[in-house]
C-alpha cells in the first residue's frame, strides 16, 4: 500500500510541475493538436462536398464489333410463274377434268375440245393446195409458148425489114410483122402474169392449210410449263369460247420473295447479293437477289426487290409473309441495351457517355439493328463508356461517379 501511495504522489507532483512551471509549452502543444484536428475535419468536409455533387451512375465500357449490316425488309412470297390458260376457239370440252393441286409437266393435256368439222376443213384446204400446185406446169408451158412466139415474130420482123429495105418486100408486110412481134410480147407478159397468179394461189392455199392446222391445234390446250393446278380444269361438256378459262397453273419451284426497300437504302442492295428470310411458319430460307426495280413506286417512294429461293419440296406457299434480310457491306457497331438510348433537348436520339474527368457527354447515334439481345448502334468511337443506368438523371457537363459493369452483363 505504501508503494502505491508513493507512485500516486510522484504522478501528482509531475502534473503540478507541468501546470505551474511548463504551462506555455503545454498549451502550445495542445493548440497544434487542435489545428491538426481542424484540418482533418476540413478535408473530410471537402471530400463530402465532392461526393455529394457527383451523381452515381452505372456505365458500360463498350468496344465496337464488326457486324453484317443487312438490309431488313418485310415482304411476301410470290409464285415464280402464274398463268391462266385460256381457250382460243369455240367448242365443247370432251376430256375429263383434272382437279386442282395436281402436278403437271410442260405439254400435258389440260382440256381437249370437240373438233367438229375442222378436220374436213383441213382436208379441203390441203386439196386446194394440191390443185393450185397442179396449175404450175400449165402456167409454165404457156410462158414457154409465149417466148417461142416472140422468137418467131422477131425472125419474121427481121426478114420483112430486110426485104422492104431492098425493094423485094412490101411495106405492108413489115408493118404486119411488127404487129405480130408486139402481140407475141403481150403474150409473154400475159403468161408471166398467169404464172404469178398460179404461185399466189399456191401461197393462199398454203396459208389456208396452216390456218386449218392452227385451228386443229387449238382443240388441245396444254400446260405451258411444269407446275401445279391452282384450279380445276374445265368440266366435261362445257362450252369454251375464245377467252374462256381452261385452268390456272402456278410454278412454286423456285419461288420469289418480294419486298420494297426505301430510297435511303436502295444503293446498298446489289443484284446477286445473298439474302435470307424467315417465314411466319418459322421456316428459314436462303436465296439471291434477282431483281431490283429502277423505278420507285409513286405513292410510297420505295423500290421493288425480288429474291429467288429454291423450293423443291414446295414447303413455301404463295402469299406468305416473310422477313427478308439482304446482305450488305459490314460495319463497326456497339451492342447496347435498348434502355441506354435517350434524347437530348433537341429531340436527337443518342447515348450519354462518361468523358474525361468523369464528365457526362451526349453522343448522337445511328440505329442499325434491333435484336433480342439489344440494339446495334453506330456513330460512336471504337471504345466508349456508355451510361446504362442513371442517364436520364444527368445532362452534358455534369460530374458523375461511375460504377462500371462487364460488357457480358
Amino acid at each position: 500500500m505504501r508503494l502505491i501511495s508513493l507512485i500516486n504522489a510522484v504522478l501528482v507532483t509531475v502534473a503540478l510541475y507541468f501546470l505551474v512551471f511548463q504551462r506555455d509549452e503545454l498549451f502550445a502543444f495542445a493548440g497544434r493538436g487542435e489545428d491538426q484536428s481542424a484540418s482533418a475535419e476540413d478535408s473530410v468536409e471537402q471530400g463530402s462536398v465532392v461526393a455529394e455533387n457527383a451523381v452515381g451512375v452505372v456505365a458500360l465500357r463498350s468496344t465496337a464489333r464488326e457486324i453484317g449490316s443487312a438490309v431488313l425488309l418485310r415482304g411476301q412470297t410470290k409464285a415464280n410463274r402464274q398463268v391462266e390458260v385460256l381457250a382460243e376457239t369455240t367448242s365443247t370440252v370432251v376430256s375429263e377434268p383434272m382437279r386442282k393441286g395436281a402436278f403437271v409437266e410442260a405439254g400435258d393435256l389440260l382440256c381437249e375440245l370437240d373438233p367438229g368439222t375442222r378436220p374436213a376443213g383441213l382436208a379441203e384446204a390441203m386439196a386446194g393446195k394440191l390443185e393450185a400446185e397442179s396449175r404450175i406446169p400449165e402456167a409454165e408451158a404457156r410462158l414457154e409458148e409465149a417466148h417461142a412466139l416472140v422468137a418467131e415474130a422477131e425472125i419474121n420482123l427481121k426478114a420483112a425489114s430486110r426485104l422492104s429495105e431492098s425493094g423485094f418486100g412490101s411495106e405492108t408486110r413489115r408493118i404486119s410483122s411488127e404487129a405480130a412481134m408486139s402481140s407475141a410480147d403481150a403474150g409473154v407478159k400475159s403468161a408471166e402474169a398467169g404464172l404469178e397468179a398460179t404461185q399466189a394461189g399456191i401461197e393462199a392455199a398454203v396459208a389456208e392449210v396452216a390456218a386449218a392446222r392452227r385451228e386443229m391445234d387449238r382443240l388441245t390446250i396444254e400446260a405451258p410449263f411444269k407446275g401445279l393446278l391452282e384450279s380445276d380444269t374445265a368440266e366435261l361438256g362445257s362450252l369454251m369460247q375464245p377467252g374462256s378459262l381452261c385452268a390456272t397453273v402456278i410454278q412454286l419451284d423456285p419461288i420469289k420473295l418480294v419486298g420494297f426497300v426505301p430510297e435511303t437504302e436502295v444503293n446498298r442492295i446489289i443484284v446477286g447479293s445473298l439474302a435470307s428470310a424467315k417465314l411466319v411458319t418459322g421456316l428459314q430460307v436462303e436465296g439471291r437477289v434477282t431483281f431490283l426495280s429502277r423505278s420507285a413506286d409513286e405513292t410510297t417512294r420505295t423500290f421493288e426487290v425480288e429474291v429467288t429461293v429454291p423450293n423443291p419440296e414446295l414447303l413455301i406457299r404463295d402469299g406468305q409473309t416473310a422477313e427478308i434480310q439482304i446482305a450488305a457491306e459490314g460495319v463497326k457497331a456497339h451492342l447496347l441495351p435498348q434502355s441506354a438510348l435517350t434524347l437530348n433537348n433537341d429531340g436527337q436520339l443518342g447515348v450519354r457517355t462518361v468523358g474525361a474527368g468523369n464528365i457526362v457527354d451526349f453522343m448522337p447515334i445511328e440505329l442499325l439493328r434491333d435484336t433480342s439481345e439489344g440494339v446495334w448502334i453506330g456513330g460512336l468511337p471504337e471504345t466508349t463508356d456508355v451510361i446504362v443506368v442513371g442517364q436520364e438523371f444527368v445532362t452534358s457537363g455534369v460530374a458523375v461517379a461511375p460504377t462500371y459493369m462487364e460488357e457480358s452483363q
Side-chain angles (χ1 to χ4, degrees):
M1 291 295 294
R2 293 181 63 184
L3 179 61
I4 296 174
S5 298
L6 182 61
I7 294 173
N8 289 333
V10 172
L11 292 176
V12 171
T13 303
V14 171
L16 290 173
Y17 172 79
F18 278 104
L19 287 174
V20 175
F21 298 100
Q22 303 291 333
R23 183 176 57 184
D24 295 337
E25 290 80 357
L26 181 62
F27 287 164
F29 177 79
R32 289 194 299 269
E34 291 176 356
D35 293 340
Q36 292 176 357
S37 298
S39 299
E41 290 177 359
D42 292 342
S43 299
V44 172
E45 290 178 358
Q46 292 175 1
S48 299
V49 171
V50 174
E52 289 176 359
N53 290 337
V55 181
V57 295
V58 178
L60 172 65
R61 183 157 291 168
S62 175
T63 302
R65 288 178 279 176
E66 183 84 16
I67 64 167
S69 181
V71 178
L72 304 181
L73 306 175
R74 189 171 182 85
Q76 65 179 10
T77 60
K78 185 178 180 181
N80 188 46
R81 291 179 177 177
Q82 179 169 343
V83 63
E84 294 181 343
V85 185
L86 307 178
E88 298 180 77
T89 189
T90 302
S91 187
T92 55
V93 179
V94 295
S95 61
E96 291 292 333
M98 299 176 65
R99 299 306 175 189
K100 56 186 175 182
F103 290 91
V104 293
E105 297 287 340
D108 284 356
L109 179 64
L110 300 178
C111 298
E112 184 177 1
L113 306 182
D114 183 14
T117 60
R118 291 176 179 83
L122 175 59
E124 181 180 359
M126 295 182 67
K129 177 186 173 184
L130 293 176
E131 181 182 0
E133 290 174 345
S134 66
R135 294 174 182 171
I136 288 291
E138 180 181 357
E140 291 177 345
R142 288 179 180 176
L143 181 59
E144 291 180 358
E145 181 182 1
H147 282 297
L149 291 176
V150 167
E152 180 182 359
E154 185 178 2
I155 293 172
N156 291 336
L157 178 59
K158 289 180 179 180
S161 298
R162 289 176 182 176
L163 291 174
S164 177
E165 291 174 357
S166 59
F168 292 101
S170 65
E171 185 68 16
T172 303
R173 182 178 179 183
R174 184 183 66 79
I175 295 174
S176 176
S177 299
E178 290 178 353
M181 181 66 185
S182 299
S183 177
D185 288 337
V188 170
K189 292 180 179 179
S190 176
E192 289 177 347
L195 180 60
E196 290 177 357
T198 302
Q199 291 174 343
I202 293 176
E203 292 178 359
V206 170
E208 290 180 2
V209 171
R213 286 177 175 171
R214 176 58 181 162
E215 188 66 17
M216 290 293 294
D217 292 338
R218 290 171 177 166
L219 298 175
T220 55
I221 304 176
E222 301 174 345
F225 51 79
K226 179 181 178 181
L228 57 88
L229 294 178
E230 188 67 8
S231 65
D232 294 340
T233 60
E235 187 60 61
L236 176 66
S238 299
L239 176 62
M240 304 293 286
Q241 296 179 346
S244 298
L245 178 65
C246 169
T248 301
V249 184
I250 63 173
Q251 185 183 69
L252 298 179
D253 182 29
I255 197 168
K256 293 185 292 186
L257 306 177
V258 181
F260 293 87
V261 59
E263 56 186 339
T264 55
E265 298 190 71
V266 67
N267 289 336
R268 299 177 58 197
I269 299 178
I270 302 175
V271 175
S273 299
L274 290 173
S276 62
K278 182 179 180 181
L279 306 182
V280 291
T281 59
L283 181 64
Q284 296 277 358
V285 295
E286 293 183 352
R288 289 189 177 274
V289 177
T290 53
F291 173 76
L292 176 59
S293 175
R294 292 286 179 177
S295 177
D297 183 271
E298 294 183 359
T299 304
T300 62
R301 308 307 302 169
T302 56
F303 295 82
E304 184 178 2
V305 180
E306 290 185 1
V307 178
T308 301
V309 175
N311 189 27
E313 298 179 3
L314 303 183
L315 298 178
I316 309 173
R317 302 175 183 271
D318 182 26
Q320 288 184 294
T321 303
E323 295 180 356
I324 308 170
Q325 295 186 0
I326 301 175
E329 185 178 356
V331 295
K332 289 267 190 174
H334 294 262
L335 179 61
L336 299 176
Q338 190 172 15
S339 59
L341 306 183
T342 185
L343 299 174
N344 63 4
N345 294 334
D346 298 328
Q348 189 175 17
L349 182 65
V351 293
R352 290 192 170 94
T353 62
V354 180
N358 290 342
I359 302 300
V360 176
D361 189 15
F362 179 84
M363 291 188 177
I365 57 95
E366 178 186 359
L367 187 61
L368 300 179
R369 187 182 304 173
D370 189 1
T371 66
S372 58
E373 300 176 353
V375 290
W376 288 95
I377 62 174
L380 298 179
E382 185 78 15
T383 302
T384 309
D385 296 341
V386 182
I387 301 175
V388 295
V389 177
Q391 71 275 12
E392 300 296 343
F393 303 102
V394 294
T395 58
S396 298
V398 174
V400 293
T403 300
Y404 288 92
M405 61 182 292
E406 296 293 334
E407 192 169 359
S408 59
Q409 295 177 327

